[in-house]
Amino acid sequence: MQQLVLFCLQALLKQYVVLLIVQGCLSGALILLGNRGKSSHILRFSEELFFIYLLPPIIFNAGFQVKKKQFFQNFFTIMLFGVVGVFISVVVVTAGSWWLFPKLRFDGLTARDYLAIGTIFSSTDTVCTLQVLHQDETPRLYSLVFGEGVVNDATSIVMFNAVQKLDVSRLDRRAAFHIVGNFCYLFSTSTALGIVTGLLTSYSLKILYFGSHSSVREIVLMVLMAYLSYMLAELLELSGILTVFFCGILMSHYAWHNVTESSRVTTKNVFAMMSFVAETFIFMYVGMDALDIEKWKASKLSFGPSISIYGVLIVLILLGRAAFVFPLSALSNYINRRADRMSSLTFKHQVIIWWAGHMRGAVSIALAFKQFTHSGVTKDEINATMITNTNIVVLFTTLVFGFLTKPLIRHLLPHGGSTDRRSGELAISKDEMTLPLLSTEEPATTNLLRAKDSLSMLIERPVHTIHSYWRSFDDKYMRPIFVLPRGNL
């Protein structure tokens, strides 16, 4: 028994996210003792601080470091999980809490509060995903879970903001269509802004080539442009998460090749360092906030009902995720069944995706504070209860699901994800990889035949065909415009 406990403690401590939470709890306990039980905080949580200063470097680094080939090969499935899946999860969590909370003698929440609860607990934790999954060991699972997490966070924030503007007295089809239309507008415009900013940065670095002794200027320009894209999106009331994520992807694809070799190494380390510092602060604060004695004193529920509420929320998270992962995986497999390069998501893969997405983190905390506090402070017992509920759910899901994800992967994929690594590889000849592009130098009959061949390839292998067309377009048009020739570096 002692060996089992020791093994579990060692496995937990290997995850630095767990270490940060434990360190935050210990720091909160020491501060609480020093203040004689009055407060466990050095500072108050501010959602503005989180969304303006802490979240952007995490998301930008994620986009900058992500393996683009895997991400875009699985783009359709990622969008299914990250957009459609969030809508399904929000419905399950909202309906379940609306029905069960009054039965547990926890009432007083408004319709807007229940809708906000659905978005709060449908947001997965991207940061924890980076720790429990690895691009090299399970590249496809990593790209799916991580890509879904980024899109999921953006969708949850957009839906949360839509709920704040929604007339809850008129919950009908028109309101639902308004939310969907608003999301489509925000998603497309935010993505476009991130792409434009990334391309503008790349072109600027190409035109204003600083030379071999100006690494600082190159790095500063990339950092400032990335942050500018986020702030501009927020000022325009768009999704800053999506904007800075796609800005990171475009910068790594084009701008990174326009800087010197020393700048390339430095940029990766600087962006990773900024992301690490932000993650450290967030999870330490989560640990400290778990011991906020003021919120626990103001909480409405006693110990028994509180445990029931925690259990209900965790079960609703499990059900809400299962309600979209397995059906949408089947839909993705059905659509991609003709694509030779795309292997199906097996049931084992689906279980891992379902399990790894249960972790809730900083975005859930920030949205809960935004809904149920004013500048991090609340005296209302119902609001205080929801803050403590969110903290406990975040801690439980991070520790339990985060701890068990790696053992689950090793059990279900004992060969280290070798099947997962091969899933993106092609068994296609070079002739098949060469797509028939149209040419102005060929006669019309030849172009018509090429268009017919292209259409048949698009129907038979849509993912491979679109990806190949993009590679051809990128090499022929985009890179000559936005990337310096190698000899000039």
Side-chain angles (χ1 to χ4, degrees), residues 144-439:
L144 284 173
V145 178
F146 168 71
E148 178 223 334
V150 174
V151 179
N152 175 298
D153 286 346
T155 306
S156 298
I157 293 172
V158 169
M159 289 190 67
F160 180 87
N161 293 332
V163 166
Q164 306 307 307
K165 302 175 183 178
L166 188 66
D167 183 5
V168 294
S169 61
R170 294 183 178 181
L171 294 178
D172 51 14
R173 288 185 178 180
R174 183 174 297 179
F177 281 119
H178 176 74
I179 292 176
V180 173
N182 187 41
F183 170 78
C184 293
Y185 164 76
L186 289 175
F187 186 91
S188 57
T189 52
S190 301
T191 302
L193 179 60
I195 292 173
V196 169
T197 308
L199 292 177
L200 180 61
T201 306
S202 305
Y203 192 74
S204 300
L205 286 171
K206 178 183 177 181
I207 298 299
L208 306 172
Y209 180 60
F210 294 113
S212 58
H213 302 289
S214 302
S215 295
V216 174
R217 298 174 188 173
E218 294 172 339
I219 296 169
V220 167
L221 179 62
M222 294 179 71
V223 172
L224 290 180
M225 289 299 291
Y227 193 70
L228 175 65
S229 70
Y230 184 89
M231 294 304 299
L232 186 59
E234 293 297 315
L235 289 173
L236 296 175
E237 297 185 349
L238 303 176
S239 173
I241 290 181
L242 278 174
T243 298
V244 78
F245 178 70
F246 280 97
C247 180
I249 291 179
L250 267 293
M251 281 194 187
S252 68
H253 191 63
Y254 297 115
W256 189 74
H257 298 282
N258 291 335
V259 298
T260 59
E261 188 65 31
S262 60
S263 296
R264 294 178 187 178
V265 176
T266 307
T267 50
K268 286 199 171 185
N269 292 329
V270 166
F271 296 149
M273 179 272 295
M274 294 171 64
S275 176
F276 182 83
V277 170
E279 293 168 14
T280 300
F281 180 86
I282 290 170
F283 283 100
M284 282 193 65
Y285 185 87
V286 169
M288 292 174 59
D289 197 67
L291 297 177
D292 187 358
I293 198 68
E294 295 176 4
K295 294 188 182 71
W296 286 103
K297 287 180 178 179
S299 180
K300 176 182 179 181
L301 298 177
S302 59
F303 180 76
S306 296
I307 295 297
S308 300
I309 293 294
Y310 307 149
V312 165
L313 288 172
I314 291 170
V315 169
L316 289 176
I317 290 172
L318 295 172
L319 293 176
R321 188 155 181 84
F324 74 82
V325 168
F326 298 106
L328 295 183
S329 295
L331 176 62
S332 175
N333 289 338
Y334 175 77
I335 292 176
N336 292 324
R337 73 188 190 279
R338 291 185 178 180
D340 295 339
R341 73 178 293 152
M342 294 295 293
S343 63
S344 298
L345 286 173
T346 65
F347 182 73
K348 292 181 178 180
H349 287 134
Q350 295 173 33
V351 170
I352 293 173
I353 293 170
W354 170 71
W355 185 269
H358 287 143
M359 290 173 282
R360 299 296 179 262
V363 174
S364 296
I365 293 282
L367 294 181
F369 270 84
K370 196 170 185 178
Q371 177 68 22
F372 297 108
T373 69
H374 299 284
S375 300
V377 179
T378 181
K379 298 296 183 181
D380 184 83
E381 59 182 16
I382 296 174
N383 291 341
T385 301
M386 282 310 306
I387 294 297
T388 56
N389 289 342
T390 306
N391 285 336
I392 294 299
V393 169
V394 168
L395 288 172
F396 180 86
T397 56
T398 301
L399 295 175
V400 175
F401 294 117
F403 166 62
L404 294 176
T405 298
K406 284 186 177 179
L408 180 67
I409 293 175
R410 285 196 295 266
H411 176 72
L412 295 179
L413 302 175
H415 300 295
S418 58
T419 305
D420 181 59
R421 282 194 293 269
R422 290 194 302 266
S423 63
E425 301 298 327
L426 266 173
I428 301 176
S429 65
K430 292 183 178 180
D431 292 335
E432 289 178 303
M433 293 180 67
T434 305
L435 286 171
L437 297 174
L438 301 182
S439 174

Side-chain angles (χ1 to χ4, degrees), residues 36-48:
R36 297 180 180 180
K38 293 181 180 179
S39 175
S40 65
H41 286 152
I42 299 176
L43 50 83
R44 294 285 181 186
F45 183 85
S46 170
E47 59 269 13
E48 286 79 13

